Amino acid sequence: MRLEVRVARRYAKALADVLPDDRLEKVLEEVKTIGSLLDDRVIKYFKSPVVPPEKKRSLIEQILEKVGASEELKRVLLLMAQKDRLGTLREFASEFEKFVDYRLGIIKAEITTATEIDEETVLKIKSKIEEIFGKKAEISVKLDPSLIGGFVVRVADKVLDASIKTQLENLKKAIAD
């Protein structure tokens, strides 16, 4: 794991640990809003060793003020500014979201299909995932015409591949053997 991710994870965990469950989603929204304001130039600015830490702190204070961030989030991000770790804000946002999902019992799933699928099918797959994992599922749907037909479902580190493309590849291997 990259150093940036490890550093960001520590700050994200610290923030998640001080928040009660009923405030996690609100602060996550604040983190996502801040993340949406950070383009590559801002991240480069925060990572630059040439830019004085005071200027980085000043910029993050302006962003926090604009967003109306909670006191807990302000404290963590100002500490990151003090330690010159603002260059890891994207990783921080990603890691914080993982901690929030874990605490609230949410699992992310991705369905990839060759063609559009209807809402009813998505809901059936979501229901089955929630039944299997015992958690609330958040589903995203992606299109990939190269699958030819069928679908691929990814949940955490598990993959269910029911695509025609994979079935054809498996058939090709079986014939070759």
Side-chain angles (χ1 to χ4, degrees):
M1 181 184 320
R2 291 187 3 239
L3 176 63
E4 287 180 338
V5 175
R6 284 199 315 253
V7 167
R9 179 174 290 147
R10 282 192 209 119
Y11 289 102
K13 183 176 183 338
L15 178 58
D17 285 350
V18 300
L19 292 169
D21 287 356
D22 63 335
R23 300 237 0 262
L24 285 170
E25 288 180 290
K26 179 191 179 303
V27 176
L28 178 59
E29 285 308 311
E30 293 173 5
V31 169
K32 286 180 177 180
T33 302
I34 290 170
S36 72
L37 299 173
L38 303 177
D39 60 12
D40 290 340
R41 287 187 345 217
V42 176
I43 294 297
K44 223 180 220 179
Y45 181 83
F46 283 145
K47 286 182 177 183
S48 174
V50 177
V51 178
E54 309 83 52
K55 288 192 174 201
K56 295 175 187 179
R57 181 183 173 97
S58 174
L59 178 57
I60 198 66
E61 284 173 340
Q62 290 172 31
I63 292 170
L64 290 167
E65 194 63 38
K66 182 176 183 173
V67 170
S70 62
E71 285 304 311
E72 297 89 350
L73 181 57
K74 283 181 187 176
R75 266 189 252 125
V76 169
L77 294 188
L78 292 176
L79 178 62
M80 288 176 73
Q82 180 184 337
K83 303 285 186 182
D84 203 14
R85 301 289 195 186
L86 291 173
T88 65
L89 276 173
R90 284 191 178 138
E91 292 84 359
F92 167 80
S94 173
E95 293 299 315
F96 183 67
E97 185 172 7
K98 290 176 189 174
F99 282 114
V100 170
D101 287 348
Y102 178 77
R103 285 256 308 269
L104 298 180
I106 297 170
I107 193 161
K108 302 243 191 272
E110 180 183 82
I111 304 169
T112 307
T113 63
T115 59
E116 294 279 340
I117 57 173
D118 59 44
E119 193 62 32
E120 185 181 334
T121 305
V122 172
L123 290 174
K124 283 180 184 174
I125 295 171
K126 177 182 179 185
S127 166
K128 196 65 176 170
I129 290 169
E130 289 176 345
E131 181 185 318
I132 291 168
F133 288 91
K135 295 183 176 199
K136 181 177 180 266
E138 286 184 1
I139 308 289
S140 64
V141 179
K142 236 172 59 172
L143 290 179
D144 180 359
S146 76
L147 294 180
I148 305 168
F151 60 91
V152 177
V153 178
R154 285 183 177 77
V155 182
D157 60 346
K158 310 244 183 302
V159 177
L160 167 64
D161 190 338
S163 67
I164 303 295
K165 177 181 178 181
T166 299
Q167 292 174 25
L168 290 173
E169 287 172 0
N170 290 343
L171 183 60
K172 182 178 168 183
K173 285 179 192 170
I175 292 171
D177 289 342

